[in-house]
Amino acid sequence: MPHRTPASALKREINGAQLATLNTLERFGWDIKFVRRCAGGETLVVLHDPDTRKYAVLQPDGELDENPVFERFRS
């Protein structure tokens, strides 16, 4: 069974603008699913809305990208 990181631990990995947006979205049922460190030091923060079964990316400036485009990387 995969290990699930608690939301409180994930929140410590995001910046203030992201945290402010997340706190607002949590009132509407959104939750933080995971945080990934990408090459170049960028952080990918993925949120989930269970009502619409939708995933979105929380940008570093606190904006929510509800239609993210994920690129596939080949090794």
Side-chain angles (χ1 to χ4, degrees), residues 5 14 30 38 43 53 67 69:
T5 305
I14 64 178
W30 287 80
C38 302
T43 303
R53 292 185 233 147
N67 298 301
V69 176

Side-chain angles (χ1 to χ4, degrees), residues 3-68:
H3 171 69
R4 181 167 163 90
T5 305
S8 59
L10 294 174
K11 288 179 183 181
R12 289 191 293 266
E13 296 186 42
I14 64 178
N15 68 36
Q18 291 169 321
L19 187 57
T21 300
L22 176 59
N23 287 337
T24 300
L25 291 171
E26 284 178 325
R27 295 180 194 152
F28 298 97
W30 287 80
D31 61 346
I32 189 168
K33 280 299 183 188
F34 61 87
V35 176
R36 296 287 183 268
R37 300 277 178 212
C38 302
E42 291 185 37
T43 303
L44 176 68
V45 180
V46 176
L47 306 182
H48 180 247
D49 178 6
D51 290 337
T52 61
R53 292 185 233 147
K54 185 176 200 174
Y55 288 88
V57 171
L58 188 54
Q59 300 293 335
D61 63 359
E63 292 293 318
L64 186 66
D65 182 356
E66 295 186 65
N67 298 301

